Amino acid sequence: MTPDPADAQDDARRLSHAPALDVDPLLDDPETRIVVCCGSGGVGKTTTAAALGLRAAERGRKVVVLTIDPAKRLAQSMGIDSLDNVPRRVKGTEGPGELHAMMLDMKRTFDEVVEAHADAARAAAILANPFYQSLSAGFAGTQEYMAMEKLGQLRARDEWDLIVVDTPPSRSALDFLDAPKRLGSFLDGRLIRLLTAPAKLGGRAGMAFLNVGMSMMTGTLGKLLGGQLLKDVQTFVAAMDTTFGGFRTRADATYKLLQAPGTAFLVVAAPERDALREAAYFVERLAAEDMPLVGLVLNRVHGSGAARLSAERAVAAAENLEEPRIVDQGGGKAGLRNSPDTYGSSESPAPAPSESRPDGSPSSGPADTTVDMTADTADESPSSASPSSESPDRTVDQLTAGLLRLHAERMQLLSREQRTRDRFTARHPEVAVVEVAALPGDVHDLTGLRDIGDRLAAGRPELP
């Protein structure tokens, strides 16, 4: 017996699948304390993080979801008017656990660090410094570093069983990992050391150093930056000098926390070339940094309930319905199809009664009505043959052809997504994958997040 090509195609798809990612054991494991969702922008990290947090809470854990996404989607989906730097309890969850959510306030977190690691007078001087205000609000890497700070604070409080982190929405989401190193490089840089030197020397020696050793540099910088800005920088550096070591120490501790066995990284992507290319980079980078990757969440995967009907067959059937004369229709039609004399003529032969469409309904269309036209239309006015008098069967044919073409487009999309996914799994066959179906609308409440969690746990993309 010859195997069905559709069955062979399904077998090939199953063979190409990567190991399945089982989400529930990960969330249920008390040893799992941190789950980090990373990936390129716009692939559903925020929704995935919220859905995982909700599912873990409803399975009995006390969870906090930390999002760094400036869009308020997480708050909206959890029924909270707004999120800020303080974890807020989410109402409406089911089960024995608790769900809390918060959104990183970058500047407030920076202020908290300063207040915690400097005496009151020094902290007040730092917070009022114009250069600090600019640094805390928009210095490159500050957001990612403060996310690390907040994660370290949450973990140190030991108040939650599980912390789910939604990483910053940047092109390279692993800036989250690079931030401590970049900030450390900034604090250890030559300029910072020069600016800190007078404060370290203190008194007249410091002033002498500043006046003699730095006169040329400060003159040049004063011209480039402006004298007031340079003064603000020097004042800030002098005030912050005692806290610089604390920044590096905590950054190193949080970095090691991310490498610990209790942390799990999930790379989130869409089945698109650019998103999976970024995902491959994340996977390789996490491996290089010894970060514990548990798998890939492939979001917005398309499916079809009629996958056995290929795109080619759907297009051929649509063409057959739209214009019977341009495709093969079986025996006895060659003359009709090829003869210019009979094309469009009322003398075209009628189709055989036994002919039917693939769906079993009797064949209809222009070829079906030719005999009746010669017999019954002789006394009719020309207006009776206008397009407005088109038969209901013909209208059904057109609608069916349109649906077949839509199905063909969907199957082409599925094929393209599968090829893209296969390229990723061929490159990283060790990475476990879970697929989540593309939904017809946005997720905007707990019911939608619960549905996403169910799909994540099912390990296969259910149809919307």
Side-chain angles (χ1 to χ4, degrees):
M1 179 178 177
T2 304
D4 188 336
D7 290 337
Q9 185 179 22
D10 288 344
D11 290 341
R13 289 169 64 94
R14 284 193 292 270
L15 290 173
S16 67
H17 279 187
L21 173 62
D22 201 350
V23 170
D24 283 345
L26 173 69
L27 299 179
D28 293 343
D29 187 355
E31 298 298 320
T32 303
R33 302 298 303 274
I34 298 173
V35 173
V36 181
C37 298
C38 61
S40 57
V43 296
K45 294 193 305 294
T46 301
T47 302
T48 299
L52 289 171
L54 176 62
R55 188 168 184 85
E58 294 188 336
R59 294 175 69 86
R61 304 196 71 181
K62 188 176 181 181
V63 185
V64 60
V65 178
L66 168 63
T67 181
I68 299 96
D69 191 341
K72 302 279 191 298
R73 293 192 304 271
L74 180 64
Q76 294 167 356
S77 65
M78 293 185 170
I80 300 176
D81 292 336
S82 63
L83 293 178
D84 53 25
N85 223 34
V86 179
R88 296 181 181 275
R89 177 80 178 268
V90 177
K91 299 178 181 179
T93 59
E94 302 171 358
E98 293 182 12
L99 178 62
H100 300 251
M102 62 181 296
M103 181 178 293
L104 178 72
D105 184 332
M106 179 177 64
K107 187 178 187 312
R108 183 58 201 148
T109 302
F110 210 148
D111 292 350
E112 290 172 354
V113 172
V114 171
E115 291 167 350
H117 297 89
D119 59 68
R122 189 180 294 269
I126 293 172
L127 297 178
N129 185 276
F131 180 74
Y132 165 79
Q133 293 173 358
S134 298
L135 175 70
S136 61
F139 184 76
T142 303
Q143 185 183 51
E144 289 82 1
Y145 177 80
M146 289 305 142
M148 298 280 279
E149 279 279 352
K150 181 56 67 176
L151 174 59
Q153 291 175 13
L154 293 172
R155 185 66 182 87
R157 289 166 63 178
D158 203 25
E159 184 176 348
W160 290 275
D161 298 336
L162 178 65
I163 303 169
V164 182
V165 182
D166 167 34
T167 54
S170 57
R171 180 183 179 276
S172 179
L174 291 185
D175 287 347
F176 184 71
L177 301 179
D178 291 331
K181 294 180 181 178
R182 285 206 309 274
L183 187 61
S185 299
F186 168 72
L187 298 178
D188 288 331
R190 182 179 300 175
L191 174 61
I192 294 297
R193 289 201 305 270
L194 288 172
L195 292 174
T196 342
K200 290 181 177 179
L201 291 174
R204 294 180 180 178
M207 293 304 296
F209 179 88
L210 180 63
N211 291 333
V212 178
M214 296 185 67
S215 58
M216 293 181 63
M217 186 193 74
T218 55
T220 303
L221 288 175
K223 293 177 182 178
L224 293 174
L225 305 177
Q228 185 58 46
L229 176 58
L230 181 59
K231 183 178 179 180
D232 292 339
V233 173
Q234 291 172 333
T235 304
F236 164 75
V237 170
M240 284 287 288
D241 179 53
T242 56
T243 63
F244 281 170
F247 273 99
R248 285 188 291 270
T249 300
R250 289 189 305 280
D252 291 343
T254 306
Y255 196 82
K256 291 178 181 177
L257 180 65
L258 292 174
Q259 294 176 316
T263 300
F265 278 84
L266 283 172
V267 176
V268 184
E272 302 165 0
R273 184 178 60 182
D274 291 343
L276 280 173
R277 183 187 296 118
E278 288 291 311
Y281 166 72
F282 297 152
V283 167
E284 293 163 5
R285 177 68 192 284
L286 288 169
E289 299 286 343
D290 293 325
M291 298 291 176
L293 172 68
V294 295
L296 170 74
V297 174
L298 198 60
N299 266 334
R300 301 168 188 163
V301 176
H302 292 88
S304 173
R308 289 180 178 274
L309 178 60
S310 68
E312 293 77 8
R313 291 174 60 192
V315 170
E319 290 176 345
N320 184 29
L321 289 170
E322 291 169 338
E323 179 49 76
R325 295 178 179 84
I326 65 172
V327 294
D328 290 338
Q329 305 229 355
K333 293 295 182 103
L336 174 62
R337 186 177 67 252
N338 298 323
S339 172
D341 297 328
T342 58
Y343 183 82
S345 169
S346 62
E347 299 179 357
S348 302
S354 60
E355 280 194 314
S356 63
R357 294 195 195 94
D359 61 2
S361 61
S363 176
S364 63
D368 301 316
T369 60
T370 52
V371 173
D372 290 338
M373 287 174 65
T374 59
D376 300 328
T377 62
D379 298 329
E380 292 179 1
S381 63
S383 61
S384 65
S386 65
S388 62
S389 62
E390 194 170 20
S391 68
D393 285 348
R394 182 57 181 160
T395 302
V396 171
D397 287 349
Q398 292 171 339
L399 290 174
T400 305
L403 291 173
L404 286 166
R405 289 192 179 278
L406 286 175
H407 175 76
E409 292 176 3
R410 170 58 66 95
M411 295 307 297
Q412 290 167 354
L413 174 62
L414 265 61
S415 178
R416 184 166 61 249
E417 287 183 354
Q418 184 64 33
R419 289 195 303 270
T420 305
R421 180 189 183 285
D422 287 348
R423 283 195 291 269
F424 175 87
T425 55
R427 185 174 178 179
H428 297 286
E430 77 286 356
V431 177
V433 179
V434 60
E435 297 181 356
V436 180
L439 300 179
D442 293 332
V443 175
H444 53 79
D445 55 20
L446 289 182
T447 301
L449 290 177
R450 196 171 288 117
D451 183 26
I452 294 292
D454 291 341
R455 294 166 188 265
L456 281 165
R460 57 191 176 88
E462 301 288 349
L463 292 175

